[in-house]
Amino acid sequence: MQNDRGQWGSTTGFILAAAGSAIGLGNIWRFPYITGQSGGAAFVVVYLLCVVLVCVPYLFAELVLGRFSHRNPVGAIAAIRPRSTWRLVGGLGVLTGVCILSYYAVIAGWTLGYIVKGIAFPAMAFETFIATPAYVIPLFAAFLLLTMLVVGGGVEHGIERSAKILMPVLLVLMLLVIARSLTLDGASAGLEFYLKPDFSKVDGSVVLAALGQAFFSLSLGMGAMVTYGSYLPKSSDLRLCGLSVAAFDTLIALLAGFMIFPAIFAMGKSPDQGPALVFHTLPDIFAEMPLGGLVSIVFFVLLAIAALTSTVSLLEVVVSYFVDERGWSRKRAVWTIGAFTFVLGLPAVLSEGAVDALSTMTFLGASSFLGIMDFLWGNLSLALGGLLLSVFVGWVWGTREAGEEFRTGSKMGSGGVALWALFVKFVCPVVILIVLLNVFGVL
């Protein structure tokens, strides 16, 4: 049902929706704690280099493939190499989308709960909260339903319309929290940690952490940008679109540091708290602040908004496959996949203390069912998908044909295309392979 595919109503709508896909818990939850663990400002510099040198060229590759074919990741590859096994790469992207959604929506549900927890249950420990099925299962279901309602509205009237509202609201809320954080006594120490690089702290592990964070924070490797690019008209300037998405995503990540590090140092806390930073440390900091209760509510509202714009893209990757390849209506695809995702996600919901067998599972260093799912699909599968897709665009489809599609709608010269081709064929696969080897602990 081609009429159920839809198309972006404007370039601005696409940029906000695609940036929303990239902007999520990875920017506001993961980026600050990785920065805190990796030495602060020096890590940020390395991260920015990775975005420019690796992620942006690869992002262009996904957008080019999507707009050329006007199909989902499976259909896009099939349009170029029909009946080839390369279609399995697109299938990996679709499978990755639904698997990441099944546990990402669990964490996103926690953010909904934390909007009211500070008022209704201020003394409840984080570990108790996430181990209580009566809280976390309804929150998981509610967040998944919210995601389904947005995607069910279609590309222009659902995803694009919500992005035009949610992304500006996200930016305003972040600026409010930043303003409060920067006015705390002692905030300058946090700014120095975040803005004054000490490159003696940079070693191989810091570089690899920056590569991984830059790659995963832009939603690359699972076909989300192929899917979003497929809704773009031929007249769109892919260079402008890609650069705008990357810039917006990076800006939000950098702003998250300005929210969090001044507050951490002002309250005498350590910046290397790890994944617990947002749900453990920050609520304690907010409790000690003047107007901290209000700041806490605002912070978790913006965290929920960031999570929603990402879960929407995760669901859309899978929905687009069933609409394009199976001829399903959008409504049927959304409700069927949503119900399947809920069932698939229940073990992850119950694996943070509610069910011992799920909570104590271990695999290659990952612990709990949720942690293992994140390792398999959020690390391993994304890196593998990114490596294979860059090889497909650069070597199988070929940068000559891909470059012609890239230039359509833009005024980019042959020199710009040649430079992009160099990165897609050589730099991106090598760097992504390094990230993949790091996932396995080879490096």
Side-chain angles (χ1 to χ4, degrees):
M1 287 190 175
Q2 190 68 19
N3 63 330
D4 254 359
R5 287 206 93 245
Q7 192 175 65
W8 302 115
S10 64
T11 299
T12 301
F14 160 78
I15 290 171
L16 290 174
S21 167
I23 294 165
L25 297 176
N27 299 72
I28 303 175
W29 168 58
R30 194 173 190 270
F31 175 79
Y33 87 69
I34 293 288
T35 302
Q37 289 179 326
S38 303
F43 170 86
V44 175
V45 173
V46 178
Y47 168 81
L48 293 175
L49 288 173
C50 292
V51 170
V52 172
L53 298 177
V54 181
C55 292
V56 170
Y58 178 82
L59 172 59
F60 287 148
E62 287 208 12
L63 292 177
V64 167
L65 182 60
R67 193 185 66 173
F68 173 80
S69 62
H70 291 300
R71 309 298 286 179
N72 63 89
V74 177
I77 292 175
I80 296 168
R81 290 291 183 271
R83 298 181 298 278
S84 81
T85 54
W86 280 100
R87 288 180 300 172
L88 295 176
V89 177
L92 177 63
V94 173
L95 182 61
T96 300
V98 72
C99 288
I100 292 179
L101 178 61
S102 72
Y103 70 83
Y104 194 100
V106 174
I107 303 170
W110 299 347
T111 69
L112 284 183
Y114 259 67
I115 293 172
V116 296
K117 176 186 171 298
I119 299 173
F121 314 104
M124 181 181 290
F126 174 65
E127 291 81 3
T128 303
F129 171 73
I130 62 174
T132 307
Y135 296 146
V136 290
I137 292 178
L139 289 168
F140 168 55
F143 208 97
L144 200 54
L145 179 61
L146 196 57
T147 304
M148 292 160 62
L149 291 174
V150 173
V151 175
V155 175
E156 182 176 355
H157 298 294
I159 301 172
E160 181 175 347
R161 181 177 292 174
S162 65
K164 285 182 174 178
I165 298 171
L166 294 177
M167 296 311 294
V169 170
L170 172 69
L171 187 58
V172 170
L173 291 179
M174 290 192 79
L175 292 175
L176 288 174
V177 178
I178 288 170
R180 184 69 194 97
S181 185
L182 291 177
T183 54
L184 294 171
D185 291 336
S188 58
L191 289 176
E192 182 174 350
F193 173 81
Y194 191 49
L195 297 177
K196 188 176 180 180
D198 178 4
F199 290 107
S200 66
K201 296 181 179 180
V202 176
D203 56 18
S205 63
V206 170
V207 174
L208 290 171
L211 286 173
Q213 177 62 25
F215 186 75
F216 300 131
S217 73
L218 273 161
S219 293
L220 303 177
M222 65 175 183
M225 294 303 165
V226 175
T227 302
Y228 274 29
S230 74
Y231 302 129
L232 282 169
K234 292 289 185 181
S235 59
S236 56
D237 185 340
L238 291 183
R239 182 174 55 172
L240 171 64
C241 291
L243 289 174
S244 299
V245 170
F248 204 167
D249 176 75
T250 305
L251 172 65
I252 296 298
L254 295 176
L255 288 178
F258 284 107
M259 279 197 308
I260 291 171
F261 291 117
I264 287 175
F265 278 83
M267 296 299 171
K269 304 291 185 179
S270 172
D272 59 352
Q273 296 293 305
L277 187 66
V278 164
F279 292 105
H280 268 172
T281 310
L282 283 184
D284 292 342
I285 292 173
F286 292 144
E288 297 175 23
M289 280 186 185
L291 300 176
L294 178 60
V295 176
S296 178
I297 292 172
V298 170
F299 176 80
F300 284 104
V301 167
L302 74 86
L303 198 61
I305 290 172
L308 178 61
T309 55
S310 291
T311 55
V312 162
S313 72
L314 290 167
L315 181 56
E316 180 61 24
V317 170
V318 190
V319 166
S320 70
Y321 167 77
F322 283 96
V323 170
D324 289 348
E325 308 304 315
R326 304 297 179 185
W328 288 16
S329 69
R330 175 169 286 270
K331 182 178 180 180
R332 177 188 176 190
V334 167
W335 288 99
T336 302
I337 297 159
F340 173 77
T341 304
F342 177 77
V343 174
L344 182 64
L346 282 176
V349 177
L350 300 172
S351 70
E352 298 304 301
V355 177
D356 287 342
L358 294 171
S359 305
T360 56
M361 294 174 66
T362 59
F363 179 74
L364 290 180
S367 58
S368 85
F369 185 87
L370 189 152
I372 293 170
M373 287 289 284
D374 185 44
F375 171 79
L376 290 176
W377 301 104
N379 287 348
L380 179 59
S381 184
L382 281 184
L384 180 61
L387 174 64
L388 294 173
L389 203 61
S390 62
V391 171
F392 177 80
V393 172
W395 295 95
V396 180
W397 184 18
T399 51
R400 183 173 180 178
E401 290 185 52
E404 287 301 313
E405 177 65 25
F406 193 9
R407 292 178 66 178
T408 301
S410 71
K411 298 179 180 179
M412 184 167 51
S414 57
V417 173
L419 181 62
W420 170 72
L422 175 68
F423 276 86
V424 170
K425 293 183 74 171
F426 299 104
V427 178
C428 293
V430 170
V431 173
I432 295 170
L433 180 61
I434 291 173
V435 174
L436 191 58
L437 291 174
N438 184 50
V439 169
F440 281 111
V442 175
L443 300 179

